[in-house]
Amino acid sequence: MIYTEEMRASQSRVEATRNLRLSEELPRFTAEEKDVLLKQFHPDYHEEGFTRLSVGPNKGDQVPSELAVLLQGKSRMDEADVDVDHIQFETDVLVIGGGGAGAAAAIEAARHGAKVLMATKLRLGDANTGMAEGGIQAADKEHDSPAAHYLDAMGGGHYKNIPELLAELVLRGPEAIQWLSSLGVLFDKDSDGAMVTTHGGGTSYKRMHACGDYTGAEIMRVLRDEVRNAGVDVIEYSPAVELLLDGDGQAAGAVLYDFDTQEYHVVRAKSVILAAGGAGRLHYQGFPTSNHYGSTADGLVMAYRAGIPLLYAGAIQYHPTGAAYPPQIYGALVTEKVRSLDAMLVNKNGDAFLHPLETRDVVAAAIIRECQERNNGVYALHGQAVWLDTPMVDLIHGEGTMEKRLPAMIHMYEKFGIDIRKQPILVYPTLHYQNGGICIGAKSETKIPGLYAAGEDVGGIHGKNRLMGNSLLDIIVFGRIAGTEAAAYSKTA
Ligand code: MEZ
């Protein structure tokens, strides 16, 4: 394998990040270099496919056209069919969304004495949480610190992160890991019982805590059980379609649409938590996605329609390594953990063209550049793609590492007769994460009294580009804050 000059520069940047002292500037690209790379090659920066909003609190902002249609469109509720005075369910706290953020919120609200109702679009646990593979970040190791975690996330997020939100995230990281462990999440440990941690893109320390390569699935398994244990009522296959406000403009519940009966249900609640997830299934600009089928920006749309501004709604994350082959798993996540274990990205000439643990936006942009501008990709299903050298993991870390650290990935490919321990795989960026979303404060509150938000439908925590493992952390941290605050609010309402 040949290292290109760009790869060497990239390598020293990543190495410098890891030797960073807190007082120093992050050795990322210069603003100019980054601008050139992103403007030319990152899909976010294609003017085409974006629309300027003409109505609502974000009037004038550019957002993906598929999202603009929903934000500015008609209500999904047919008003003639809904009598908002005919109340089917009453509760203290209504949680909208059945993923990790919604579950953490519901558990915490119930623990604080509130009667909690959770409405989910699909089944409880059908969410992007369960599809996150590689790990959850928290600075709870010797030498590491929340301050280093903060700097990494700020640098990765183009310094656009909201400082109060990011501070809350990193400071509560260690507690989040303890909370999950206490509920029964089985994190990987070494023979001395210490947590095994790895690097992710843009991290200065190894702070990725994982459960093999099915971290999100393990977390969701435990949260799902705990929601039931906490006595939360769950209504499945019933997405919320519109928020309800009372005469004073306070949150008062929501209207659900029951997929089974095809009827609307009115829920009255003293406080409401929006945790309705991301938007990958809108397939912006025709991109494939790593997201689950329910990810259609529901939280963003409901909040926007209620007059809440969105932050960075045009900032979308393309995970650099989606499966480009075989067709059955086109766009599925190939976890960043493969690159954390030193697998390289290689073009058709055998060149390693970028350090694989640069931040996600930079790696995705470089892959797109290799394939689209330089014609250095390998022909795959829907155009060119690059190699991810998976056998290298066993080569560097010893045979058996793949089985131990990446069992789900081996299994996913085995179904199609591909042994990733022996052959590299083809990858291309896939639509992965909604970086932007609902504006909240550090108590997960929105500008509407009694309305809280958490999880992927929120914007600002990660700025314009999230680092790996920080969303599994944010759903726990802000889910729990939202649950606690909404329960307290419901007692005053
Ligand atoms: O945080 C993520 O998006 C994540 C853990 C993804 C992955 O590559 O595994």
Side-chain angles (χ1 to χ4, degrees), residues 34-43 45-46 368 373:
K34 194 157 183 173
D35 215 41
V36 169
L37 192 65
L38 294 178
K39 275 219 174 79
Q40 287 182 8
F41 308 113
H42 198 283
Y45 289 76
H46 290 178
I368 291 168
E373 200 233 359

Side-chain angles (χ1 to χ4, degrees), residues 126-388:
D126 287 341
N128 284 346
T129 301
M131 306 183 75
E133 296 168 353
I136 169 169
Q137 280 207 53
D140 59 357
K141 290 273 190 178
E142 217 183 322
H143 307 304
D144 194 3
S145 69
H149 188 177
Y150 181 95
L151 281 182
D152 290 346
M154 265 285 173
H158 304 201
Y159 298 93
K160 296 287 184 201
N161 318 47
I162 304 298
E164 302 77 48
L165 299 182
L166 184 55
E168 207 68 48
L169 180 82
V170 300
L171 288 168
R172 291 182 186 241
E175 182 195 323
I177 299 291
Q178 277 167 19
W179 188 72
L180 289 171
S181 298
S182 75
L183 294 182
V185 172
L186 297 170
F187 286 109
D188 293 344
K189 296 200 173 135
D190 63 19
S191 51
D192 297 327
M195 295 261 189
V196 175
T197 49
T198 53
H199 272 295
T203 58
S204 52
Y205 287 91
K206 291 185 178 178
R207 65 172 79 94
M208 209 65 64
H209 301 64
C211 315
D213 56 350
Y214 46 86
T215 313
E218 168 68 359
I219 289 175
M220 201 64 245
R221 173 188 74 81
V222 166
L223 292 179
R224 198 195 292 115
D225 284 354
E226 199 55 30
V227 166
R228 303 285 187 193
N229 293 341
V232 172
D233 289 321
V234 182
I235 310 181
E236 296 182 317
Y237 294 113
S238 298
V241 288
E242 207 71 88
L243 294 172
L244 294 175
L245 305 185
D246 67 14
D248 298 325
Q250 303 193 28
V255 177
L256 312 182
Y257 181 74
D258 185 325
F259 280 152
D260 283 332
T261 63
Q262 300 184 11
E263 285 167 354
Y264 294 103
H265 297 311
V266 175
V267 182
R268 277 296 158 111
K270 294 175 183 154
S271 59
V272 177
I273 300 170
L274 270 174
R281 285 286 158 186
L282 296 182
H283 292 286
Y284 300 140
Q285 297 170 350
F287 262 77
T289 185
S290 59
N291 285 190
H292 85 114
Y293 284 96
S295 296
T296 51
D298 299 5
L300 272 70
V301 173
M302 276 185 281
Y304 193 74
R305 289 178 56 79
I308 301 175
L310 306 178
L311 195 60
Y312 315 139
I316 318 301
Q317 179 164 94
Y318 298 82
H319 192 290
T321 56
Y325 183 85
Q328 294 90 332
I329 52 168
Y330 179 56
L333 187 66
V334 174
T335 175
E336 191 164 318
K337 188 166 179 188
V338 183
R339 284 174 283 133
S340 302
L341 293 169
D342 300 301
M344 300 297 281
L345 291 162
V346 182
N347 66 19
K348 75 166 184 215
N349 308 319
D351 297 340
F353 52 89
L354 197 86
H355 191 289
L357 288 184
E358 294 265 21
T359 54
R360 282 183 177 170
D361 50 351
V362 171
V363 181
I367 295 174
I368 291 168
R369 178 194 61 197
E370 285 302 300
C371 296
Q372 291 186 10
E373 200 233 359
R374 298 185 177 168
N375 205 22
N376 275 344
V378 179
Y379 185 76
L381 193 59
H382 293 283
Q384 297 188 23
V386 297
W387 294 113
L388 180 62

